[in-house]
Every structure is written in structure tokens, then in C-alpha cells.
Amino acid sequence: MNTTTSDAVVAIIGAGTMGTCIAADMLFHGKQVVLVDISEQALGQARQEIAKVIRFAPAINKALASIDPAEAMASIQFTTELRAVAECPYIIENVTEDLAIKEALYTELASYMDKDSFIAVNTSCVSITRLAGLTRDPRQVIGVHFMNPSYMKPTVEVIKGFHTSETCIERTVQLLRELEKEAIIVNDYPGFVTNRISHLFMNEAAFVVQDGVAEPAQVDEIFKKCYGHKMGPLETADLIGLDTVVRSLDVLYQSYADSKFRCCPLLRKMVDAKLLGRKTGKGFFTYGIQ
Amino acid sequence: MNIHRPVRDYIQRNLVVFEDDMEWTDDTNIFQLGLVHSLFAMQLLQYIESEFRIVIENEDMDIRHFNSVNQIAAFIANKLDVATQGSQAREG
């Protein structure tokens, strides 16, 4: 266990897809992790997924060191108790991308966390400044937009809230460096750089399909073969989950009150029909049984 | 024991179907051709362990051993062979 780093223990709140892969990433880099979720079931799934990632991810990412699975799993605590974050100097929050849920969490968190702890909000669209305003010290709050899956991605978008301190930025960059990641630091407006732009691509690609301009495969082929993108916008939307894409578009639309973020009706219809992408086996494309 | 067929069927069930006429053989590099997502590799390794009741050791954790049906089948056959020899030696 590496205890010489500034944040040897990291708390992660929310054991969904992102929380789980970030926890595994931390374990690969010698951190101790406290993983918190309100659902025992989610924690059980996270435990299984992390064990799988610890064993198999080094096969696809040679930069990851093979570590002893038993030792790694001994370095992570799974808990439904939010108060378990009290001793953690760095907290990464990954709960559902729903403003009401996040706001309730931050209000509760204020009574447990140490006054010197930092909070990294892992969000795709929600304003960092708004959430920071719910904490005792908004200088200690920063946005860290990890990509999925974290242990495969060497770069992270880091977002300064209005009041985020230089100390908070330095600690965050240091932690990311220890995870062998580069931080690209930007300012806070909903969607930041990544999703403010990528969601326009995905949304307009859905409009193109809705209007009968091209088939989904054609849209993605154009992005991959003409622009050299690794994935097309519709394949990406399927990977993220169309329900998540719609939620993010709604946040952007509400935040900017700008019609350019209006959600494509086809996207909303597909979500209503449970065509959510990879996770349900069908979205713009069809996927095998996982 | 037929190894190729279940492995091929498993990969077939997990293809990302973008092009209906996509043809692939037991020698096709499924990752290089983009037939499956790179994260599928982890799922594939887990499948190999549970389906064929073998353990993939740390030193074998290299996706280059699992790029095609033929490579996967050879890896599994080798593991099963080693296991059988070990078992026979113990019985002898």
C-alpha cells in the first residue's frame, strides 16, 4: 500500500458504472477506497465488477500493473453509511445525474465531512458552482469529469467552480497524476467542454436519422471514415445510454435556455420504448446478449 | 471436446452488429476489426474461465492470446492438456 501520497484514502460516493470503475482505478494505483452507496445491491454488483476488473483489465491496458486481487479487495470498504467519508481527505461524488438527488446528498454530506476535505464532483453537465454553494466551503469543491472506463483513459476534464481554490486544484491534479492521468483544467459552465459539444453531435445525429437523411450506420461511418473519429456519435450515445443522454440534454437545455439543446423527439421516443443502447441490447444499433 | 464452436458462438452473440454482411473467420482478429468493443475482452476472459473451468494466470493476461477464435481455442486446449497431464500424474 502506497501511503506516501497526499490522499492515500479516497471516498467514492455512488457505486454505479463510474463509481465502480474509478474505485478499481484507485486500487490499481495503491489507494485505499471507501465506496458508499445507498443500495446494498449496487455495492454487491460493484464488488463483483471491481474483482473482475482487477484481474482482467491489465490484459487490455498494459499500463496497469497486475496486482494481487485479494490484497486489492482488502483495500476497499463497501458501505451504505455516508458517515464513513468523515475521515477521508478526498471525496469523489458520482451519484445519479439528477440535480435534486445531488443537492440532497450535498446537504447531508455537510454534516459528516471533515472541514479540510475536498469534494470532486464527477458530473457530465451539472454546474459545479451550484453544488459547491450547498457545502460549507465552496473553495474545497471541484469538478472532475472522469471518462468511462476510468482505468483505460489517461486524460480527465477538470472543472474549476467559481470559488474553487488553488489548493483544491493542486490536490486534484496531484491525485490524478498519481493515477497516471493528465488534467485539462477548464472553467465552469454546464456541460463544460466535453458534453456541451458532444451532446450537440449526438442530438443532431439523432435528428439526421429522424429526418431520414441517413441510416445510423451511415452517420457513424461518416464520422469514423471521413473525420477519423474512433467512434460515431450514435455508437457513443448507445454506449453512454440514451436515457443518460436525454437527461444531460435536458440539463443543458434548462441551464442555457437555448433551443440548440432541445432534445430530439426520436431520442425521447427511443427512451420511452426502452431502447437505451448497449445496456438493453438495442438502441441505434443492435447488440448481442451480454 | 469441441472448443471452437462454443467460443465462436459466444463471440457471435456479442458482436456489435453494424454491418449485416460482415463475415469473419476463426482467424479474424476480432478486436482489430472492431467486431467487439475492447471492454468485451474482460467479459471474454471471464467466459473462458467459467465455461472451460480453467484459470487464466497473470502471466497469460495479454489480449494477444485471445485475438481470434483459433488463438483462444489453442490457449484453452493447452490449459486443458496441462490440467489433464497433471491429473494423470497425480493418479499414477
Side-chain angles (χ1 to χ4, degrees):
Chain A
M1 175 67 53
N2 181 356
T3 54
T4 59
T5 53
S6 53
D7 294 301
V9 183
V10 175
I12 298 174
I13 304 173
T17 304
M18 287 312 299
T20 299
C21 72
I22 295 167
D25 205 357
M26 294 287 170
L27 294 174
F28 274 121
H29 294 90
K31 301 292 181 189
Q32 291 187 46
V33 176
V34 176
L35 182 58
V36 186
D37 198 287
I38 52 171
S39 161
E40 289 279 7
Q41 191 190 359
L43 289 171
Q45 286 172 348
R47 183 190 293 272
Q48 282 184 1
E49 179 65 19
I50 290 168
K52 182 180 92 176
V53 169
I54 292 295
R55 280 204 64 215
F56 297 134
I60 50 175
N61 183 359
K62 300 314 284 179
L64 294 173
S66 284
I67 54 173
D68 182 332
E71 197 178 310
M73 295 311 281
S75 298
I76 179 166
Q77 177 192 351
F78 298 87
T79 178
T80 55
E81 296 291 328
L82 188 60
R83 69 182 70 237
V85 307
E87 303 296 316
C88 299
Y90 202 96
I91 299 166
I92 299 173
E93 177 273 299
N94 298 277
V95 305
T96 307
E97 197 77 336
D98 178 308
L99 198 54
I101 293 173
K102 282 193 185 286
E103 286 184 343
L105 173 77
Y106 279 80
T107 306
E108 189 181 352
L109 197 55
S111 58
Y112 295 129
M113 63 179 283
D114 187 274
K115 66 177 175 50
D116 295 324
S117 296
F118 297 96
I119 303 180
V121 186
N122 183 27
T123 176
S124 51
C125 285
V126 175
S127 162
I128 306 305
T129 305
R130 180 165 178 174
L131 293 175
L134 299 169
T135 65
R136 280 185 302 199
D137 188 350
R139 294 173 302 174
Q140 309 276 86
V141 181
I142 192 166
V144 180
H145 186 195
F146 286 94
M147 301 289 127
N148 182 23
S150 163
Y151 49 83
M152 295 288 288
K153 306 289 184 181
T155 309
V156 177
E157 181 183 36
V158 171
I159 305 104
K160 283 189 290 184
F162 187 87
H163 295 290
T164 305
S165 69
E166 281 305 313
T167 310
C168 184
I169 295 169
E170 283 166 19
R171 284 287 285 271
T172 300
V173 170
Q174 172 63 22
L175 177 62
L176 291 172
R177 197 176 292 132
E178 288 161 11
L179 298 178
E180 297 173 89
K181 295 188 196 305
E182 178 194 1
I184 298 178
I185 302 168
V186 301
N187 288 314
D188 183 30
Y189 268 107
F192 329 118
V193 173
T194 48
N195 284 353
R196 187 168 168 182
I197 297 172
S198 67
H199 279 61
L200 286 176
F201 269 133
M202 290 186 276
N203 198 36
E204 204 57 33
F207 271 116
V208 162
V209 173
Q210 177 186 278
D211 295 347
V213 177
E215 294 295 319
Q218 292 178 299
V219 174
D220 278 11
E221 289 291 282
I222 285 171
F223 271 77
K224 288 193 279 189
K225 293 181 178 170
C226 299
Y227 286 160
H229 289 198
K230 203 168 177 182
M231 291 173 75
L234 298 173
E235 187 186 355
T236 306
D238 274 358
L239 179 64
I240 294 170
L242 301 191
D243 50 342
T244 304
V245 172
V246 166
R247 256 198 311 272
S248 295
L249 280 166
D250 286 344
V251 171
L252 290 167
Y253 182 75
Q254 287 157 17
S255 302
Y256 290 102
D258 188 332
S259 63
K260 73 183 174 195
F261 292 112
R262 78 223 177 280
C263 178
C264 171
L266 174 63
L267 270 178
R268 216 177 282 284
K269 185 175 176 181
M270 290 174 76
V271 171
D272 290 341
K274 304 284 184 278
L275 305 183
L276 305 183
R278 277 178 184 271
K279 59 186 167 187
T280 57
K282 190 162 175 55
F284 285 100
F285 301 101
T286 304
Y287 304 89
I289 302 156
Q290 298 277 322
Chain B
M1 181 182 194
N2 188 332
I3 300 172
H4 284 71
R5 177 172 289 177
V7 169
R8 187 180 168 86
D9 287 350
Y10 183 73
I11 293 170
Q12 182 73 46
R13 286 201 302 274
N14 286 281
L15 291 183
V16 179
V17 184
F18 283 0
E19 297 178 34
D20 293 339
D21 57 352
M22 174 67 79
E23 286 183 10
W24 62 290
T25 71
D26 286 355
D27 275 322
T28 301
N29 184 324
I30 58 173
F31 297 104
Q32 206 166 49
L33 211 62
L35 292 183
V36 289
H37 197 270
S38 65
L39 287 182
F40 169 69
M42 289 199 291
Q43 192 184 322
L44 176 65
L45 298 180
Q46 201 173 29
Y47 161 79
I48 291 168
E49 284 197 339
S50 65
E51 181 70 21
F52 298 98
R53 298 183 181 182
I54 58 175
V55 175
I56 303 171
E57 305 292 346
N58 271 356
E59 58 265 28
D60 296 323
M61 288 288 176
D62 189 329
I63 205 59
R64 284 175 297 185
H65 297 150
F66 307 97
N67 277 337
S68 68
V69 171
N70 281 340
Q71 279 180 318
I72 295 166
F75 176 85
I76 295 168
N78 183 46
K79 281 280 177 188
L80 291 174
D81 196 33
V82 169
T84 307
Q85 283 173 16
S87 148
Q88 283 171 347
R90 278 195 299 279
E91 284 168 13

